[in-house]
Amino acid sequence: MSQMTKTIKGKSGKVAITLSLVLIAYFTSTLVWIERGNTVYSDEKHLISNMLFSNYDTNKMSPSDIHKIMDIKQGNMVFDVSYVNYADHIISMTYAIMNDMMGGWMVNLDTILLVEQFEFLVFIIVYRKIYNLPKTLVLN
């Protein structure tokens, strides 16, 4: 019991909490990216899926289809936000296509792992609080 308390309250506990928070952020963002790929970028996702999986002839692509996929607007700021939007666009479509290939199992797995990480984080925090309470001596 003392070894487990020392481990949870020490550096290992802080590493476990940090890792749990990182995993929660990753699983949440993955679910958001899949949803965005299925809603916001659904046209582009279907176009890319057709190109990849049904021998779609890229020579027959219309310029508007190419513009949909490669829509980067050049900015004039030091940190150009358009590249971040483009990365979000690509990541969203990629995760949505992977989820479609797996028959929706990626969303199910991410949801299960996200809930598991929340449970793990709550258990660690509760354990740290319970065993951090001051010991009082009760006399009758």
XYZ file of all heavy atoms in Angstrom, residues 16-17 19-25 27-28 31 107-125:
249
model
N 1.966 10.044 -15.204
C 0.723 9.368 -15.593
C -0.388 10.380 -15.861
O -1.145 10.236 -16.830
C 0.298 8.388 -14.504
N -0.486 11.412 -15.031
C -1.501 12.445 -15.242
C -1.223 13.201 -16.538
O -2.131 13.447 -17.344
C -1.565 13.402 -14.033
C -2.172 12.673 -12.836
C -2.369 14.654 -14.366
C -2.128 13.452 -11.540
N 0.494 12.164 -19.196
C 0.244 11.270 -20.331
C -1.256 11.095 -20.572
O -1.711 11.093 -21.714
C 0.904 9.908 -20.091
C 0.755 8.893 -21.218
C 1.450 9.389 -22.480
C 1.328 7.556 -20.788
N -2.010 10.995 -19.508
C -3.457 10.863 -19.645
C -4.062 12.109 -20.281
O -4.932 12.007 -21.151
C -4.085 10.609 -18.278
O -5.468 10.464 -18.381
N -3.598 13.293 -19.889
C -4.110 14.528 -20.483
C -3.742 14.627 -21.964
O -4.557 15.064 -22.785
C -3.575 15.740 -19.723
C -4.149 15.946 -18.321
C -3.410 17.068 -17.604
C -5.637 16.231 -18.389
N -2.537 14.200 -22.322
C -2.116 14.209 -23.729
C -2.980 13.247 -24.543
O -3.434 13.580 -25.649
C -0.615 13.866 -23.855
C -0.223 13.562 -25.284
C 0.237 14.995 -23.301
N -3.234 12.057 -24.011
C -4.065 11.086 -24.720
C -5.514 11.560 -24.847
O -6.152 11.337 -25.879
C -3.999 9.721 -24.032
C -2.670 8.983 -24.202
C -2.645 7.730 -23.337
C -2.420 8.648 -25.655
N -6.018 12.227 -23.827
C -7.376 12.786 -23.905
C -7.439 13.830 -25.016
O -8.388 13.846 -25.814
C -7.808 13.383 -22.543
C -8.124 12.256 -21.558
C -9.001 14.318 -22.692
C -8.357 12.709 -20.133
N -6.425 14.675 -25.103
C -6.393 15.687 -26.167
C -6.314 15.028 -27.536
O -6.997 15.442 -28.488
C -5.209 16.629 -25.961
N -7.262 11.829 -28.474
C -8.486 11.111 -28.836
C -9.635 12.075 -29.133
O -10.431 11.841 -30.043
C -8.886 10.114 -27.746
C -7.928 8.979 -27.594
C -7.470 8.591 -26.349
C -7.459 8.287 -28.699
C -6.587 7.532 -26.214
C -6.572 7.234 -28.577
C -6.131 6.860 -27.330
N -9.725 13.164 -28.390
C -10.760 14.160 -28.649
C -10.553 14.814 -30.008
O -11.505 14.962 -30.782
C -10.766 15.233 -27.539
O -10.939 14.598 -26.267
C -11.878 16.239 -27.752
N -11.550 12.476 -32.845
C -13.001 12.437 -33.056
C -13.494 13.698 -33.765
O -14.360 13.632 -34.644
C -13.717 12.253 -31.719
C -13.546 10.886 -31.055
C -14.132 10.889 -29.655
C -14.161 9.801 -31.897
N -13.996 5.365 -34.875
C -14.729 6.244 -33.958
C -15.082 5.489 -32.681
O -14.943 6.023 -31.576
C -16.006 6.800 -34.637
C -16.908 7.484 -33.637
C -15.634 7.759 -35.741
N -15.529 4.245 -32.821
C -15.871 3.448 -31.643
C -14.662 3.236 -30.745
O -14.749 3.400 -29.526
C -16.452 2.099 -32.058
C -17.777 2.223 -32.747
O -18.479 3.209 -32.581
N -18.125 1.235 -33.542
N -13.531 2.875 -31.338
C -12.321 2.641 -30.558
C -11.845 3.918 -29.890
O -11.478 3.908 -28.706
C -11.220 2.061 -31.452
C -9.898 1.743 -30.761
C -10.097 0.638 -29.733
C -8.853 1.341 -31.784
N -11.849 5.036 -30.613
C -11.429 6.302 -30.018
C -12.341 6.718 -28.874
O -11.862 7.243 -27.863
C -11.393 7.405 -31.079
C -10.126 7.382 -31.896
O -9.218 6.592 -31.564
O -10.029 8.152 -32.865
N -13.628 6.486 -29.017
C -14.565 6.831 -27.947
C -14.307 5.988 -26.701
O -14.279 6.511 -25.585
C -16.016 6.641 -28.420
O -16.215 7.406 -29.612
C -17.002 7.071 -27.365
N -14.081 4.701 -26.894
C -13.792 3.817 -25.761
C -12.497 4.235 -25.074
O -12.426 4.328 -23.844
C -13.718 2.348 -26.231
C -15.105 1.861 -26.629
C -13.119 1.451 -25.159
C -15.109 0.544 -27.380
N -11.465 4.508 -25.861
C -10.177 4.903 -25.278
C -10.256 6.269 -24.598
O -9.591 6.497 -23.574
C -9.095 4.894 -26.353
C -8.736 3.517 -26.892
C -7.761 3.629 -28.056
C -8.161 2.635 -25.804
N -11.068 7.171 -25.128
C -11.246 8.481 -24.500
C -11.922 8.345 -23.139
O -11.467 8.930 -22.147
C -12.064 9.394 -25.414
C -12.360 10.794 -24.902
C -11.073 11.584 -24.742
C -13.314 11.512 -25.836
N -12.981 7.557 -23.075
C -13.667 7.346 -21.795
C -12.735 6.654 -20.808
O -12.703 6.994 -19.616
C -14.968 6.532 -22.016
C -15.570 6.081 -20.699
C -15.961 7.350 -22.812
N -11.949 5.696 -21.289
C -10.992 5.003 -20.426
C -9.966 5.976 -19.839
O -9.621 5.878 -18.658
C -10.290 3.916 -21.233
C -9.296 3.109 -20.451
C -8.618 2.074 -21.323
O -9.315 1.366 -22.064
O -7.383 1.991 -21.245
N -9.496 6.914 -20.643
C -8.517 7.885 -20.147
C -9.142 8.824 -19.120
O -8.494 9.194 -18.138
C -7.914 8.687 -21.300
C -6.928 7.909 -22.115
C -5.800 7.342 -21.276
O -5.187 8.038 -20.468
N -5.537 6.068 -21.455
N -10.410 9.212 -19.333
C -11.095 10.027 -18.334
C -11.225 9.265 -17.013
O -10.992 9.826 -15.941
C -12.484 10.460 -18.829
C -12.468 11.691 -19.673
C -12.974 11.655 -20.962
C -11.964 12.888 -19.200
C -12.968 12.785 -21.760
C -11.949 14.027 -19.983
C -12.449 13.975 -21.266
N -11.594 7.987 -17.093
C -11.702 7.173 -15.879
C -10.363 7.073 -15.171
O -10.277 7.232 -13.948
C -12.198 5.769 -16.222
C -13.633 5.698 -16.646
C -14.029 4.310 -17.122
O -13.141 3.434 -17.257
O -15.225 4.105 -17.375
N -9.309 6.817 -15.928
C -7.967 6.690 -15.357
C -7.557 7.983 -14.657
O -7.048 7.962 -13.534
C -6.978 6.328 -16.468
C -5.561 6.199 -16.016
C -5.146 5.109 -15.276
C -4.629 7.184 -16.326
C -3.839 4.983 -14.858
C -3.318 7.067 -15.912
C -2.923 5.963 -15.172
N -7.805 9.112 -15.303
C -7.436 10.403 -14.730
C -8.206 10.678 -13.444
O -7.629 11.121 -12.441
C -7.680 11.514 -15.755
C -7.271 12.920 -15.357
C -5.761 12.988 -15.163
C -7.715 13.907 -16.413
N -9.499 10.398 -13.458
C -10.311 10.621 -12.255
C -9.862 9.710 -11.123
O -9.740 10.156 -9.972
C -11.812 10.416 -12.577
C -12.643 10.348 -11.306
C -12.312 11.533 -13.470
N -9.571 8.444 -11.427
C -9.109 7.528 -10.377
C -7.788 7.981 -9.774
O -7.606 7.927 -8.556
C -8.976 6.104 -10.907
C -10.291 5.402 -11.104
C -10.495 4.591 -12.196
C -11.325 5.566 -10.196
C -11.705 3.949 -12.380
C -12.541 4.932 -10.374
C -12.732 4.115 -11.472
N -6.878 8.439 -10.581
C -5.598 8.905 -10.044
C -5.790 10.140 -9.174
O -5.225 10.243 -8.090
C -4.587 9.185 -11.178
C -4.083 7.879 -11.748
C -3.413 10.003 -10.675
C -3.061 8.032 -12.834
N -6.594 11.084 -9.648
C -6.811 12.317 -8.870
C -7.532 12.012 -7.561
O -7.154 12.519 -6.505
C -7.573 13.356 -9.723
C -6.663 13.847 -10.846
C -8.054 14.514 -8.868
C -7.340 14.726 -11.862
